[in-house]
Amino acid sequence: VNIGPDKTVQALSYTLDAGSGYESYHWDNGVATRNRVITETGTYWVQVFDENQCDNRDTAYIRLKIRDVSPDGFASPVSDCSFSAAEPVALRILNSGTDTVPSGTSVAVSYRFNGGSRINGSVTLTAELLPGSFLTHNFPGTVNLSNSADYSLEATAVMSGDIRSTNDTADIVVYRYDKPVIDFGLNT
């Protein structure tokens, strides 16, 4: 049996194939099929049996190299008890993949405030963005959060080569909390 060499693939998933001609298959996760689709980096093995119940086994390490960024919320504004009429807008951009995003990569970003017009921007990485790390992009201008209300923001972060587009947009609510009421009961 041969499920292939250890390898790195740029994909969200990868199919391991144990080959045909065996009576039965047993993968490390208990699946008993010829093929196995993996969605995480790791070491995988399969054991096969022929018609005489003689067995053989093979193992492979597969690294899924996923280039991916996503909006990771706002550094500003954030939920609070009070806001001003001129709150800055700063978006966190997360490397949500398993691949380092190289310096010089351009990321298109945008936000929409309470369903209004989309505000677009772009950031060019000045350093590598490691998996699990984020950077903050400050948009020009401000938003008015002076009314007593909760606010809806839609954020996007898109780059060339991003292979997981399902997380390129995020809907975020910024809550305006009520201030605590203090009453000593002294008012008559």
Side-chain angles (χ1 to χ4, degrees):
V1 65
N2 182 356
I3 58 174
D6 295 350
K7 66 171 40 179
T8 297
V9 293
Q10 189 163 359
L12 294 174
S13 64
Y14 183 74
T15 301
L16 293 167
D17 185 349
S20 61
Y22 303 107
E23 289 293 312
S24 64
Y25 302 83
H26 177 75
W27 290 92
D28 54 276
N29 66 345
V31 171
T33 58
R34 173 182 164 174
N35 297 316
R36 176 168 179 201
V37 176
I38 61 161
T39 57
E40 294 181 10
T41 294
T43 300
Y44 299 92
W45 59 261
V46 65
Q47 184 177 19
V48 296
F49 295 88
D50 66 13
E51 67 277 355
N52 299 311
Q53 292 305 303
C54 295
D55 71 316
N56 200 352
R57 181 180 172 136
D58 192 25
T59 301
Y61 175 81
I62 307 298
R63 177 178 178 250
L64 297 180
K65 185 176 172 181
I66 300 168
R67 175 95 27 110
D68 183 42
V69 294
S70 59
D72 187 43
F74 288 90
S76 175
V78 295
S79 297
D80 202 345
C81 299
S82 61
F83 297 110
S84 75
E87 292 287 334
V89 178
L91 176 65
R92 286 192 313 263
I93 304 160
L94 174 70
N95 180 345
S96 44
T98 61
D99 187 19
T100 298
V101 180
S103 176
T105 299
S106 179
V107 180
V109 293
S110 71
Y111 77 92
R112 185 186 337 237
F113 176 69
N114 276 348
S117 298
R118 183 166 301 283
I119 306 300
N120 296 305
S122 180
V123 59
T124 299
L125 302 184
T126 58
E128 293 181 333
L129 187 60
L130 300 174
S133 298
F134 69 89
L135 63 92
T136 302
H137 173 71
N138 296 303
F139 286 94
T142 60
V143 292
N144 182 350
L145 282 81
S146 61
N147 293 328
S148 182
D150 295 335
Y151 300 92
S152 170
L153 289 111
E154 177 188 273
T156 63
V158 179
M159 71 174 177
S160 177
D162 188 331
I163 64 174
R164 185 186 294 137
S165 60
T166 56
N167 65 352
D168 289 351
T169 302
D171 293 315
I172 297 148
V173 176
V174 175
Y175 295 99
R176 181 178 185 137
Y177 303 124
D178 292 331
K179 290 186 177 190
V181 175
I182 299 173
D183 183 0
F184 292 115
L186 300 176
N187 295 342
T188 56

